[in-house]
């Protein structure tokens, strides 16, 4: 049998015109067609290209001239008629090609969610078109330096020397170590969360709310917001303290009326100037945030220069200590700003006269002692060096703590003195302790100086590679700042006199900043540097806090905050800034740096506690989405960090800790206002039932988020006549996929009447449970009795599970031997189940050759799990190998992902995009793009399609057995049988009761004629098999199956497991048997295949 065929460039035959204009080769049916190469040589066939154009080809007759897809059909619908994806063409609108998906992904993975760049938002030049820049900041500029700027702050310059003096060097080391360990462990947890996907704007709030849910996220987000706001107040108070104490003391508005009113006057000055500064800073933030960002580097430079000047001064003090003498009366330290000469008498014109000191203590200008302070008379006045220098050995005196009560005089131990009581009205002449100190108080005051570790994660959208920069930059910043703090504690203890260290405001050294006395070349370097850096830190806090509040308000988890989600047209949070300024004003009205610091310590510690909790919970739950790129974390470290945070909260101030926890708890309960009511039963069981009910009701509220999605399996098992599991390896596969996590339901159907087979169902259930124990499957078993297997399966798919604990994935066995069996029920049940899962929007897994799958005792020490990603249907193909690799059987297998590129795809770009996508998914896999060119449909494909259709037709006729034909003749006479006759060979009849072999019938002439006609028509139908022409759509699908199988077998013949997109069944049920053939052709030559069909939703995400 000869046939004239022609191949144009796209493998189509444009009809009769080709036969007239081009010399086409003549080949015999079954002979391999000659292949003509057209790639890159289209100019050599001008007539062929001319006749394949639509204007010419439209005159031809294309209906059944050729079994090949013609060019008009090929051009219609673009992707829908891609020859290499013909098996998937009916669903390409909902399951797109991988190439088109990757093209879209490249555009959105680089975009940051949340607030736009401040500079872009504030740009008012409408003529300039905004060009979105790709994130370009590296580890140094994007994470390391911002973290350094946020961590170094006012405490280092104003309180660290005082802390060393009070706690001693050893306990100061302990305080710094505790605080730095807390932030380091929190950073490890934060790095794991921040590298578990793309973290948009929102920083810690985003990470916690997306890890622990909106209740915790809202509570901790507000705590972090309040901490940042009070930090702004603390920085402003620090700036005012530097301004009024060390730069321009004469600018004070309130002056002490008496000797004991100094502190209250200072507090009032702080309140007034603090409010003015706050208003100025809020205006700056409101008008121009971009200026704050531009001056950030200048403020950081001030900090760095100030710290360097401390080191320079410490080195200089070894051989040339600076001159800062301290005046001592006995062993008591005198306030040096009230007199000039440290002596009781002075010689003036060779006459001994009373000094200023004598006048202050004796209230007279002559040398009479009647009204003198007894302590003044009994003790000598002496001068000691305030900065003895690093070589003086003062370190051993400063090792131990020297805590004081409020109002206690600073004394130098072991200094000669006579211990007598002095007059109380002279106490203002001494340097006094202004607050009661203890280890706990100092921890609360120091902790704000180690906060600021979130600065890098807050900028993740601006980083070139956030998943690498955030851990490295933040950890380096903490290591650097910790070394600076440790070294400063050591240097202060080794260089500065103890009484000077304990002097908070520098009264003993002429009202100089204590750390400034050590610095080189001048104390003013530190004073000016610390003032500017503190102002800059305050501006940064007032910039960041409103944006955090805006992010919380926009999430709409706390309804009464909705107004703060709005702002200016460019996105600036105006209302949030106003609220932030009002809350910061509360901190300024407190007016004491030492009182505000513990408050913000509480809020930051609460935030860090929940960051550690989030990491620990995610690690222990081992959710499929938990795949951080940062590998050096452990749940034990997170729990240790959490414990340290909790301990520090109660160490520094137990009542503040309780208040902070109460605030967080109230916010949590408010967000969770609609939670389930408690139900107490009998003991632990009642508690378990209540918890289970509560959890199920919470799950009922909506479908799970993509990152919480994990396959909840319904495994459909087949039992043999003895009620034994036919394919136990299905259970093995389920246990390897689930690894004891999530929901697994094992379902089976027994055919029959429920009333009669109830005992059988119970026995089957027990058998399955025993097999589940053997295969270590943790889950539930459900056996259904139904008249028809397909109905039972449909019932299982619809009704299994409870509330939110329902299956989302069906595991279905392959119908082995469907070709050899004359009974079509097995494959019709299979296809019916596929259609049911699709209708129910469930994912479907079909393990083929499941008996070759490994048992739980086997180990694959090498090999590959190959994923053939042909169409995108939610990311199941990416997630399943990752889950399998969690099990010891598959752990050492490598993952390879293949995707198919068509003629019009850029395969190099596709490979690059796919690698980027996998990097964002935190999945390690080799990537390969396989090019499938539009090759011609071979005679082999055509012949195989023909054989498939002939076989289907033949089997359809063979099913008309003799008894069924007799039954058909009998039914002709029945006037009510027309509907039944139409459905005689439908699915329902195929699954119905078998027809008795012997039917006694009374023959009439009419019946005999009808029988003859039936036989004649059957003979005619068999003759038609020879002249049948295959359907073009079937040829196209067969071509896809053959070509894909050829490529897959070539690349993955030695893979341990091949995962492959499962094409959907045809919409027209007439082609069901052909669909089975296509699946067989697609998977031929592969030992272990897992056909995967998504449920129509995304199951994997790049976001955290």
């Amino acid at each position: 049998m000869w046939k004239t065929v022609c191949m144009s460039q796209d493998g189509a035959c444009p009809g009769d015109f080709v036969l007239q204009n081009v010399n086409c080769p003549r080949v015999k049916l079954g002979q391999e067609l000659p292949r003509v190469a057209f790639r890159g040589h289209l100019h050599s066939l001008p007539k062929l290209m001319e006749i394949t154009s639509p204007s010419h080809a439209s005159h031809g007759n294309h209906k059944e001239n050729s079994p090949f897809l013609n060019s008009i059909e090929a051009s219609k619908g673009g992707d829908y008629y891609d020859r290499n994806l013909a098996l998937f063409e009916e669903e390409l609108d909902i399951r797109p090609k991988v190439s088109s998906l990757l093209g879209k992904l490249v555009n959105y993975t680089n975009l940051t969610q949340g607030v736009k760049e401040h500079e872009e938002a504030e740009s008012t030049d409408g003529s300039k078109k905004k060009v979105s820049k790709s994130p370009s900041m590296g580890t140094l500029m994007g994470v390391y330096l911002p973290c350094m700027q946020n961590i170094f702050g006012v405490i280092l310059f104003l309180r660290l020397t005082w802390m060393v003096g009070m706690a001693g060097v050893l306990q100061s080391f302990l305080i710094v170590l505790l605080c730095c360990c807390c932030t380091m462990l929190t950073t490890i947890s934060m790095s794991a969360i921040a590298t578990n996907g793309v973290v948009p704007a929102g920083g810690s709030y985003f990470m916690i709310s997306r890890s622990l849910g909106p209740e915790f996220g809202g509570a901790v987000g507000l705590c972090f917001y309040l901490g940042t706001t009070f930090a702004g107040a603390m920085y402003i108070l620090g700036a005012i303290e530097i301004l009024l104490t060390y730069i321009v003391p004469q600018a004070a508005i309130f002056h002490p009326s008496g000797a004991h009113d100094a502190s209250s006057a200072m507090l009032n000055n702080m309140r007034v100037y603090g409010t003015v500064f706050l208003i100025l800073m809020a205006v700056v933030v409101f008008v121009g945030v971009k200026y704050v960002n531009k001056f950030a580097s200048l403020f950081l430079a001030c900090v760095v220069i100030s710290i360097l000047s401390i080191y320079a001064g410490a080195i200089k003090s070894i051989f040339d200590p600076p001159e800062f003498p301290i005046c001592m009366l006995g062993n008591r330290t005198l306030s040096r700003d009230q007199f000039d000469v440290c002596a009781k008498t002075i010689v003036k014109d060779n006459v001994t006269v009373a000094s200023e000191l004598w006048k202050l203590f004796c209230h007279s200008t002559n040398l009479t002692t009647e009204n003198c302070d007894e302590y003044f008379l009994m003790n000598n006045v002496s001068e000691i060096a305030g900065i003895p220098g690093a070589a003086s050995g003062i370190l051993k005196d400063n090792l131990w703590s020297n805590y004081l009560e409020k109002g206690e005089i600073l004394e130098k131990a072991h200094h000669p003195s006579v211990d007598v009581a002095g007059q109380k009205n002279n106490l203002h002449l001494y340097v006094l302790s202004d607050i009661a100190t203890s280890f706990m108080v100092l921890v609360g005051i120091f902790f704000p100086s180690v906060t600021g570790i979130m600065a890098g994660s807050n900028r993740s959208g601006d980083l070139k590679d956030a998943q690498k920069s955030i851990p490295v930059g933040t950890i380096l910043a903490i290591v650097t700042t910790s070394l600076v703090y440790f070294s400063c504690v050591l240097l202060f203890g080794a260089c500065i006199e103890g009484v000077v260290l304990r002097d908070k405001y520098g009264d003993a050294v002429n009202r100089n900043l204590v750390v400034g006395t050590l610095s080189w070349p001048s104390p003013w370097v530190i004073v000016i540097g610390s003032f500017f850096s503190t102002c800059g830190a305050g501006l940064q806090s007032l910039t960041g806090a409103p944006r955090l509040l805006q992010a919380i308000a926009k999430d709409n988890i706390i309804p009464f905050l909705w107004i703060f989600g709005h702002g200016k047209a460019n996105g600036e949070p105006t209302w949030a800034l106003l609220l932030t300024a009002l809350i910061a004003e509360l901190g300024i009205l407190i007016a004491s740096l030492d009182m505000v610091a513990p408050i913000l310590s509480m809020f930051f510690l609460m935030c860090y506690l929940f960051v550690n909790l989030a990491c620990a919970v995610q690690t222990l739950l081992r959710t499929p989405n938990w795949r951080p790129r940062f590998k050096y974390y452990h749940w034990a470290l997170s729990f240790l960090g959490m414990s340290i945070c909790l301990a520090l909260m109660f160490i520094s101030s137990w009542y503040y800790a309780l208040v902070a926890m109460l605030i967080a708890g109230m916010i949590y309960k408010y967000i969770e206002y609609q939670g389930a009511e408690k139900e107490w039963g009998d003991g632990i069981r009642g508690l378990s039932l209540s918890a289970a009910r509560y959890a199920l009701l919470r799950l009922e509220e909506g479908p799970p988020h993509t990152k919480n999605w994990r396959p909840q399996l319904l495994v459909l098992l087949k039992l043999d006549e003895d009620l034994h599991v036919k394919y136990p390896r299905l259970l093995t596969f389920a246990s390897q996929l689930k690894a004891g996590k999530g929901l697994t339901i094992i379902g089976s159907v027994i055919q029959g009447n429920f009333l009669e087979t109830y005992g059988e169902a119970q026995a089957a259930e027990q058998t399955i449970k025993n097999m589940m124990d053997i295969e270590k499957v943790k889950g539930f078993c459900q056996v259904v009795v139904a008249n028809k297997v397909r109905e039972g399966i449909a019932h299982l798919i619809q009704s299994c599970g409870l509330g939110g604990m329902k299956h989302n994935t069906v595991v279905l066995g392959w119908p082995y031997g469907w070709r050899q069996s004359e009974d079509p029920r097995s494959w019709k049940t299979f296809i019916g189940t596929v259609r049911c899962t699709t209708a129910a929007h469930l994912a479907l897994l079909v393990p083929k050759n499941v008996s070759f799958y490994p048992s739980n005792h086997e180990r694959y020490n090498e090999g590959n799990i190959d994923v053939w990603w042909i169409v995108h249907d939610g990311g199941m193909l990416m997630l399943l190998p990752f889950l399998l690799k969690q099990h010891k059987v598959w752990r050492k297998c490598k993952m390879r992902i293949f995707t198919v590129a068509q003629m019009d795809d850029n395969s190099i770009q596709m490979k690059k995009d796919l690698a980027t996508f996998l990097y964002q998914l935190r999945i390690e896999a080799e990537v390969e793009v396989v090019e499938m060119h539009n090759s011609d449909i071979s005679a082999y494909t055509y012949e195989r399609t023909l054989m498939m259709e002939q076989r289907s037709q033949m089997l359809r006729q063979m099913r008309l057995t003799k008894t069924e034909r007799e039954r058909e003749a009998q039914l002709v006479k029945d006037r009510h049988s027309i509907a039944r006759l139409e459905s005689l060979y439908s699915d329902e009849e195929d699954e119905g009761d078998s027809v008795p072999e012997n039917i006694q019938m009374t023959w009439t002439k009419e019946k005999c004629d009808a029988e003859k006609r039936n036989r004649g028509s059957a003979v005619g139908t068999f003759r038609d098999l020879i002249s049948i022409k295959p359907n073009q759509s079937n040829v196209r699908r067969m071509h896809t199956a053959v070509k894909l199988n050829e490529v897959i077998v070539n690349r993955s013949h030695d893979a341990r497991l091949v995962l492959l997109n499962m094409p959907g069944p045809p919409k027209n049920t007439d082609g069901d048997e052909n669909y089975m053939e296509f699946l067989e052709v697609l998977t031929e030559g592969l030992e272990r295949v897992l056909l995967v069909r998504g449920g129509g939703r995304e199951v994997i995400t790049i976001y955290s």
Side-chain angles (χ1 to χ4, degrees):
M1 181 178 174
W2 291 85
K3 209 169 190 50
T4 303
V5 294
C6 178
M7 293 155 292
S8 62
Q9 181 203 0
D10 57 357
C13 191
D16 295 333
F17 285 105
V18 180
L19 302 177
Q20 297 166 13
N21 292 288
V22 181
N23 293 325
C24 294
R26 293 174 64 83
V27 293
K28 195 171 186 178
L29 192 63
Q31 179 184 337
E32 184 66 24
L33 291 177
R35 298 191 175 271
V36 184
F38 289 99
R39 296 187 190 97
H41 303 288
L42 302 182
H43 57 276
S44 61
L45 290 169
K47 288 184 180 179
L48 182 61
M49 296 314 293
E50 182 184 348
I51 58 176
T52 54
S53 66
S55 59
H56 289 277
S58 60
H59 300 292
N61 176 23
H62 308 298
K63 287 186 180 175
E64 283 292 343
N65 289 335
S66 164
F68 308 109
L69 175 64
N70 61 51
S71 60
I72 305 303
E73 279 187 63
S75 64
K76 241 185 341 185
D79 288 343
Y80 293 80
Y81 289 92
D82 192 326
R83 179 180 302 134
N84 288 323
L85 296 181
L87 267 176
F88 304 90
E89 68 187 13
E90 289 186 349
E91 295 175 301
L92 279 175
D93 54 337
I94 55 169
R95 302 170 195 266
K97 283 198 306 183
V98 173
S99 56
S100 60
L101 173 81
L102 287 173
K104 293 172 188 170
L105 281 171
V106 172
N107 296 327
Y108 87 80
T109 51
N110 289 336
L111 295 176
T112 59
Q113 289 183 346
V115 187
K116 291 182 180 178
E117 281 297 308
H118 307 319
E119 289 83 351
E120 283 188 8
E122 296 232 337
S123 176
T124 54
D125 187 1
S127 60
K128 291 182 181 177
K129 187 179 179 181
K130 290 179 186 176
V131 180
S132 61
K133 295 179 181 177
S134 61
S136 58
M137 296 181 84
T139 304
L140 181 69
M141 295 302 294
V143 182
Y144 180 71
L145 293 180
C147 282
M148 291 268 287
Q149 182 188 358
N150 277 266
I151 293 171
F152 284 134
V154 65
I155 302 293
L156 169 64
F157 303 115
L158 294 185
R159 295 290 182 269
L160 190 59
T161 52
W162 173 72
M163 187 187 86
V164 173
M166 291 294 183
V169 172
L170 295 179
Q171 287 193 25
S172 296
F173 269 139
L174 182 59
I175 292 170
V176 175
L177 181 67
L178 266 175
C179 296
C180 290
C181 280
C182 175
T183 52
M184 178 60 84
L185 292 170
T186 305
T187 300
I188 290 170
S189 299
M190 184 197 73
S191 298
I193 299 172
T195 58
N196 187 47
V198 180
V199 178
S204 61
Y205 162 69
F206 180 90
M207 291 190 291
I208 295 167
S209 63
R210 277 22 174 209
S211 297
L212 291 179
E215 294 91 354
F216 279 115
V220 178
L222 279 181
C223 284
F224 192 52
Y225 162 73
L226 291 171
T228 310
T229 304
F230 275 104
M234 185 190 75
Y235 289 129
I236 291 171
L237 289 172
I240 303 302
E241 185 178 308
I242 294 167
L243 181 73
L244 295 181
T245 309
Y246 307 114
I247 300 178
V248 278
Q250 57 272 23
I253 298 170
F254 299 93
H255 298 281
S257 55
H260 303 291
D261 294 336
S263 62
S264 61
M266 183 64 180
L267 292 177
N268 288 328
N269 284 322
M270 299 273 275
R271 291 182 181 112
V272 172
Y273 275 100
T275 305
V276 172
F277 263 54
L278 177 62
I279 292 169
L280 287 174
M281 286 184 178
V283 169
V284 169
V285 172
F286 178 77
V287 171
V289 175
K290 57 184 176 182
Y291 300 116
V292 177
N293 290 337
K294 284 178 180 173
F295 281 108
S297 54
L298 174 65
F299 297 140
L300 179 62
C302 292
V303 175
V304 173
I305 291 168
S306 301
I307 291 170
L308 290 176
S309 72
I310 294 172
Y311 286 120
I315 293 168
K316 180 178 175 290
S317 75
I318 297 172
F319 48 85
D320 184 18
E323 289 290 328
F324 282 99
I326 306 166
C327 191
M328 305 291 295
L329 178 59
N331 65 351
R332 297 179 179 178
T333 311
L334 295 171
S335 181
R336 193 63 188 259
D337 62 329
Q338 301 185 46
F339 58 91
D340 49 357
V341 179
C342 181
K344 290 185 178 181
T345 59
I346 55 173
V347 177
K348 197 173 185 180
D349 298 330
N350 293 326
V351 178
T352 302
V353 295
S355 67
E356 282 293 321
L357 196 59
W358 185 282
K359 293 174 186 175
L360 290 169
F361 275 97
C362 296
H363 310 291
S364 67
T365 54
N366 54 28
L367 294 176
T368 58
T369 60
E370 296 163 359
N371 297 321
C372 280
D373 188 302
E374 188 181 358
Y375 189 86
F376 179 75
L377 291 174
M378 299 293 291
N379 286 280
N380 294 323
V381 173
S382 60
E383 264 190 345
I384 60 171
I387 314 289
S392 65
I394 196 74
L395 178 63
K396 65 174 185 265
D397 294 335
N398 292 331
L399 281 177
W400 312 109
S401 63
N402 195 349
Y403 297 116
L404 301 174
E405 293 298 320
K406 184 177 180 180
E408 206 172 326
I409 300 170
L410 269 65
E411 297 178 348
K412 179 173 171 59
H414 311 302
H415 204 67
S417 70
V418 178
D419 189 14
V420 291
Q423 295 176 3
K424 286 189 177 180
N425 59 351
N426 289 329
L427 284 176
H428 67 281
L429 300 174
Y430 300 107
V431 180
L432 305 175
S433 170
D434 64 332
I435 62 168
T437 54
S438 66
F439 180 82
M440 295 185 255
V441 169
L442 294 182
V443 168
I445 292 173
F446 177 74
F447 188 79
S449 63
V450 295
T451 60
I453 58 174
M454 300 288 184
S457 64
N458 290 349
R459 293 166 176 248
S460 62
D462 305 328
L463 300 173
K464 191 186 297 177
D465 188 354
Q467 300 190 346
K468 185 185 292 180
S469 298
I470 288 175
V472 173
T474 310
I475 289 171
L476 280 177
I478 288 178
V479 169
T480 307
T481 52
S482 301
L483 289 174
V484 168
Y485 285 136
F486 280 120
S487 58
C488 282
V489 166
L490 189 65
L491 290 175
F492 294 159
C495 298
I496 304 176
E497 174 60 50
V499 287
V500 179
L501 287 173
R502 290 189 287 280
D503 182 6
K504 187 186 286 184
Y505 300 108
D507 293 326
V509 283
N510 294 326
R511 304 289 285 183
N512 274 306
L513 182 62
V514 174
V515 69
T517 59
L518 180 63
S519 65
W520 180 87
S522 165
W524 285 101
V525 175
I526 293 266
V527 172
I528 301 299
S530 61
F531 176 74
F532 279 114
S533 69
T534 307
C535 288
L539 280 171
Q540 292 281 1
S541 295
L542 289 179
T543 304
R547 280 165 179 74
L548 182 58
L549 181 62
Q550 187 182 41
I552 297 169
K554 281 187 173 178
D555 267 356
N556 203 27
I557 56 171
I558 305 174
F560 65 79
L561 292 179
W562 67 271
I563 185 68
F564 301 109
H566 303 292
K568 291 197 286 187
N570 59 4
E572 289 297 303
T574 312
W575 291 106
L577 177 62
L578 184 62
L579 180 66
T580 302
L582 289 174
I583 296 173
E585 177 64 19
L586 294 176
I588 284 167
L589 291 177
I590 295 172
S592 168
L593 186 71
D594 303 319
M595 294 291 285
V596 174
I599 295 174
L600 68 102
S601 292
M602 286 307 122
F603 291 125
F604 277 120
L605 281 166
M606 181 75 77
C607 177
Y608 295 167
L609 185 148
F610 280 104
V611 169
N612 284 303
L613 177 64
C615 180
V617 167
Q618 294 271 45
T619 308
L620 289 173
L621 288 180
R622 289 186 292 178
T623 52
N625 188 62
W626 182 245
R627 303 185 297 276
R629 288 208 165 274
F630 181 77
K631 300 296 183 189
Y632 306 102
Y633 68 93
H634 194 271
W635 63 266
L637 291 176
S638 299
F639 269 118
L640 180 61
M642 195 170 66
S643 306
I644 292 176
C645 287
L646 196 62
L648 287 176
M649 285 175 71
F650 282 93
I651 284 172
S652 55
S653 176
W654 64 266
Y655 45 90
Y656 278 162
L658 290 176
V659 170
M661 293 170 80
L662 181 65
I663 292 171
M666 287 169 62
I667 298 166
Y668 178 94
K669 293 308 291 182
Y670 175 76
I671 297 172
E672 190 220 23
Y673 182 64
Q674 296 176 350
E677 64 182 17
K678 296 281 185 292
E679 175 186 300
W680 298 100
D682 54 332
I684 299 298
R685 182 171 175 78
L687 182 62
S688 302
L689 284 170
S690 179
R693 172 178 171 273
Y694 178 79
L696 281 170
L697 288 170
R698 289 291 304 277
L699 281 173
E700 190 81 71
E701 289 173 5
H705 190 274
T706 300
K707 63 185 184 165
N708 291 329
W709 195 97
R710 61 161 79 236
Q712 315 287 14
L713 300 182
L714 169 60
V715 183
L716 296 174
L717 281 187
K718 191 173 184 181
L719 304 177
D720 59 19
E721 296 79 15
D722 299 323
L723 298 181
H724 293 143
V725 178
K726 205 165 185 181
Y727 302 111
R729 283 294 162 89
L730 274 177
L731 291 173
T732 313
F733 171 73
S735 72
Q736 291 169 6
L737 184 62
K738 298 299 290 178
K741 299 289 178 184
L743 175 71
T744 306
I745 300 172
I746 310 299
S748 188
V749 179
I750 292 178
Q751 194 169 358
N753 186 300
F754 178 74
L755 298 175
E756 298 169 1
T757 54
Y758 175 74
E760 200 172 324
Q762 292 294 302
E765 191 169 324
Q766 193 56 48
T767 304
I768 292 172
K769 283 181 178 176
N770 293 339
M771 187 58 70
M772 288 169 68
D773 290 338
I774 293 168
E775 296 297 343
K776 296 179 181 174
V777 176
K778 295 178 182 176
F780 309 96
C781 174
Q782 190 160 353
V783 176
V784 169
V785 178
N787 289 327
K788 294 172 184 173
V789 174
R790 201 180 313 169
E791 285 180 4
I793 290 174
H795 293 158
L796 283 172
I797 289 172
Q798 291 176 74
S799 60
C800 273
L802 177 64
M805 283 288 282
K806 291 184 77 71
H807 57 278
N808 55 28
T809 306
V810 176
V811 179
L812 179 63
W814 179 261
Y816 301 100
W818 67 272
R819 276 176 172 159
Q820 291 75 27
S821 173
E822 289 185 7
D823 185 4
R825 281 185 292 178
S826 61
W827 60 264
K828 287 201 173 185
T829 301
F830 175 85
I831 296 175
T833 308
V834 174
R835 286 200 172 99
C836 279
T837 56
T838 305
H841 299 292
L842 302 175
L844 178 66
L845 308 180
V846 181
K848 197 162 179 280
N849 303 331
V850 75
S851 54
F852 294 112
Y853 277 49
S855 69
N856 285 325
H857 305 294
E858 292 179 52
R859 300 283 188 283
Y860 285 148
N861 293 321
E862 57 182 5
N864 299 311
I865 299 176
D866 284 0
V867 175
W868 283 85
W869 193 23
I870 299 161
V871 293
H872 179 66
D873 58 355
M876 278 283 286
L877 284 169
M878 305 292 165
L879 191 60
L880 291 173
F882 173 79
L883 294 176
L884 279 173
K885 277 167 65 78
Q886 305 302 304
H887 196 273
K888 55 191 176 184
V889 172
W890 304 93
R891 189 166 291 149
K892 293 187 179 178
C893 290
K894 292 181 180 176
M895 185 172 160
R896 296 191 302 183
I897 294 183
F898 298 85
T899 190
V900 175
Q902 307 301 316
M903 282 287 285
D904 53 345
D905 293 330
N906 182 344
S907 57
I908 297 171
Q909 187 61 40
M910 270 182 74
K911 185 170 183 178
K912 200 181 295 180
D913 295 346
L914 184 54
T916 305
F917 181 48
L918 290 174
Y919 182 83
Q920 299 283 11
L921 286 174
R922 293 94 62 206
I923 287 177
E924 293 176 5
E926 291 177 32
V927 175
E928 199 162 334
V929 177
V930 178
E931 294 185 358
M932 285 186 67
H933 301 292
N934 285 342
S935 58
D936 310 313
I937 295 175
S938 65
Y940 167 74
T941 301
Y942 176 68
E943 190 171 1
R944 182 142 189 181
T945 311
L946 185 63
M947 287 170 60
M948 175 186 73
E949 293 198 1
Q950 285 175 342
R951 179 181 174 281
S952 298
Q953 188 69 24
M954 193 181 300
L955 284 173
R956 207 170 287 126
Q957 294 303 321
M958 284 172 65
R959 286 183 201 124
L960 288 170
T961 62
K962 180 181 176 182
T963 53
E964 287 173 327
R965 289 200 301 275
E966 289 169 348
R967 184 182 176 189
E968 181 183 14
Q970 176 70 27
L971 290 173
V972 169
K973 294 294 183 183
D974 190 346
R975 61 185 175 187
H976 300 295
S977 65
I978 298 169
R980 290 188 67 192
L981 182 61
E982 289 174 351
S983 64
L984 181 62
Y985 306 112
S986 68
D987 299 345
E988 295 297 325
E989 281 301 315
D990 284 337
E991 286 191 10
D993 297 330
S994 60
V995 181
E997 290 184 7
N998 298 316
I999 298 177
Q1000 295 182 359
M1001 299 178 68
T1002 304
W1003 286 91
T1004 62
K1005 187 175 187 301
E1006 290 80 13
K1007 287 183 182 179
C1008 190
D1009 292 339
E1011 177 67 11
K1012 287 178 180 177
R1013 281 198 303 274
N1014 283 337
R1015 287 184 180 176
S1017 63
V1019 173
T1021 309
F1022 278 109
R1023 283 203 197 98
D1024 291 341
L1025 288 174
I1026 302 166
S1027 58
I1028 195 171
K1029 287 188 178 180
N1031 182 285
Q1032 289 192 14
S1033 175
N1034 286 341
V1035 173
R1036 207 165 57 235
R1037 285 177 165 82
M1038 182 63 78
H1039 178 73
T1040 298
V1042 169
K1043 293 300 292 180
L1044 279 175
N1045 177 256
E1046 181 182 316
V1047 171
I1048 293 169
V1049 170
N1050 184 34
R1051 301 297 182 96
S1052 303
H1053 59 90
D1054 58 346
R1056 297 294 189 187
L1057 180 64
V1058 176
L1059 285 85
L1060 179 63
N1061 284 114
M1062 180 180 181
K1067 291 175 183 175
N1068 183 1
T1069 55
D1070 291 342
D1072 281 0
E1073 196 166 4
N1074 298 338
Y1075 171 69
M1076 296 298 298
E1077 187 68 28
F1078 295 141
L1079 292 182
E1080 284 283 7
V1081 172
L1082 188 62
T1083 55
E1084 268 180 0
L1086 297 171
E1087 188 179 9
R1088 282 178 289 269
V1089 186
L1090 181 62
L1091 293 168
V1092 180
R1093 186 162 169 75
R1097 61 161 292 169
E1098 291 294 324
V1099 300
I1100 197 166
T1101 176
I1102 64 170
Y1103 289 109
S1104 170

